[in-house]
Amino acid sequence: MQRARNGRIAETRHGEGIRNPRARQRALCIAAAPGGPDLGELRELLRTAGVAVAGEVLQRRDAPDPDRYFGRGKLDEVRRAIEETDANLVACDDELLPRQERNLEQALGLPVIDRTAIILDIFADHAHSAEGKLQVELAQLEYNLARMRGLWTHLERLGAGRVDGGIGTRGPGETQIETDRRLARNRIAALKRRLRHTKATRATMRRERERAGLPTVALAGYTNAGKSTLLNALTGADVGVRERLFHTLDPTTRSLEIGGRAYLLTDTVGFIRKLPHQLVEAFSATLEEALGADLIVHVADASVPEDELPEMLAAVDDVLEEIGAGDRPRLLALNKIDLLDDERRREISFRFPGAVQASGVTGEGLERLSDAIEARFLASLRPMELLVPYAEGASLSELHELAGELEREDTAQGVLVRARVPATAAQRFERFALDGA
Ligand SMILES: Nc1nc2c(ncn2[C@@H]2O[C@H](COP(=O)(O)OP(=O)(O)OP(=O)(O)O)[C@@H](O)[C@H]2O)c(=O)[nH]1
Ligand SMILES: [Mg+2]
């Protein structure tokens, strides 16, 4: 398994997308959770990764077994299920500790993959841009590095436990792993350098956009909620839309006109429960930038089962918090309402009174969504009273662009201006503010 993983990394390094590397794999899904696990999402992840689902073994328990994920009795059940279903792979709904994964593989005699490995695989398959590929490779390497360390201590234990040939068995393996780890670390450092470089390029572009003074809006939300569909419907863009998870990895920005003012609308990568932290970290630069927007429209799929909606909303809130966008102004858009009957629509209006209900497919509610975006923006404008010296003509014309309508009066000291300025730009004009303004 370890070798297979390393092989996978070597392949992605050459930038070739691997089509359905797990095709013809038949997974037995396992999960343990206090409330009784629900495997719908794991099945969906596997389907996206091209793996067939052979069966499932679930256990209601407070916390997974620290060594083997399941207890011994449950493992017997898994063994029987593997025979019955002819599975050739075991897929776990949680991220496994390297130790748990190794012990499970030993106990079951089959490769074991965890939720994180599956999500990383999907991301590797869906990454198109140079930056996206770098980010995914970085996340995969970080994940694998932890596993190599696990394997290393395992070999050491194995060697130490054996009386004859202990040193002999330990030496080569350890050397190989040390070399692998060193290579992985070098590669991680190189990837981080290149990502820092792309981040700097993006920062320049961002400054240019800020100079243009356009308010920015980011679409964020659970994977498959319909963010790209909404971007397309609102701006006439043709971003790819598909019934699969993590279709979008790279942010796309398009302009959108509401009430005569241009806005920049950005589509972003989808989130999921238990999103691998390596991915959050690898994508944090792109996300930070997109989600530093004037407004985050949190897009949610209103057609999911009632009890899942709050969980999905919370998962998105958690990631936003984690990447430092928790305090951005937020607007909730409940998408796919075309799939709801009147009763359910009333229920969700009652539960989420501040949210906009919309459908990116039928176009229903899109005007309400645009109006809500505009209202949020107008409410965020800051009234300012400024005295701009005649020598600062550039600032004056910038103000005209940003604030649209403004009152101006020529005085001996300069131009006296009363304007409503976007909060993000207000700082640049503070030096002209009159006392008490
Ligand atoms: N019925 C219905 N389906 C929708 C609506 N919006 C999106 N969909 C469908 O939901 C699926 C996912 O849509 P996307 O726009 O790709 O979702 P996304 O949020 O961009 O997903 P990721 O990029 O994977 O995170 C597609 O099959 C869409 O056709 C909607 O308003 N109504
Ligand atoms: Mg998308």
Side-chain angles (χ1 to χ4, degrees), residues 120 123 135 139 269-272 274-288 318-324:
L120 287 173
F123 269 71
Q135 287 166 326
V269 58
F271 302 157
I272 196 165
K274 303 185 241 177
L275 187 67
H277 70 92
Q278 298 94 339
L279 275 178
V280 177
E281 220 175 277
F283 279 75
S284 63
T286 359
L287 282 172
E288 236 172 64
D318 286 350
V319 183
L320 288 175
E321 197 65 47
E322 193 176 334
I323 57 179

Side-chain angles (χ1 to χ4, degrees), residues 327-394:
D327 60 345
R328 304 309 305 163
R330 203 95 57 89
L331 173 68
L332 180 60
L334 294 166
N335 191 36
K336 305 198 189 181
I337 49 150
D338 54 297
L339 301 175
L340 307 190
D341 58 20
D342 289 343
E343 192 189 334
R344 182 79 185 120
R345 287 181 186 213
R346 271 195 301 277
E347 269 169 35
I348 63 168
S349 341
F350 185 70
R351 277 212 58 185
F352 306 99
V356 179
Q357 298 185 16
S359 165
V361 165
T362 64
E364 187 185 346
L366 291 186
E367 220 173 282
R368 279 197 303 269
L369 184 56
S370 300
D371 289 348
I373 291 172
E374 185 184 29
R376 287 302 186 93
F377 175 71
L378 294 178
S380 75
L381 292 177
R382 217 175 102 187
M384 294 185 100
E385 196 169 14
L386 311 166
L387 182 66
V388 186
Y390 288 108
E392 300 272 357

Side-chain angles (χ1 to χ4, degrees), residues 125-158:
D125 234 19
H126 295 187
H128 295 302
S129 73
E131 186 175 20
K133 284 181 180 157
L134 293 178
Q135 287 166 326
V136 174
E137 191 188 342
L138 177 62
Q140 282 186 316
L141 276 171
E142 301 264 13
Y143 174 79
N144 280 297
L145 190 62
R147 317 265 128 174
M148 284 187 227
R149 192 171 296 138
L151 185 62
W152 178 64
T153 47
H154 168 65
L155 284 181
E156 190 179 46
R157 258 211 319 274
L158 206 72

Side-chain angles (χ1 to χ4, degrees), residues 224 226-229 239-242 246-249 267-270:
N224 210 46
K227 301 175 293 297
S228 303
T229 306
V239 169
V241 165
R242 264 188 73 183
F246 303 115
H247 190 57
T248 310
L249 294 193
D267 181 23
T268 60
V269 58

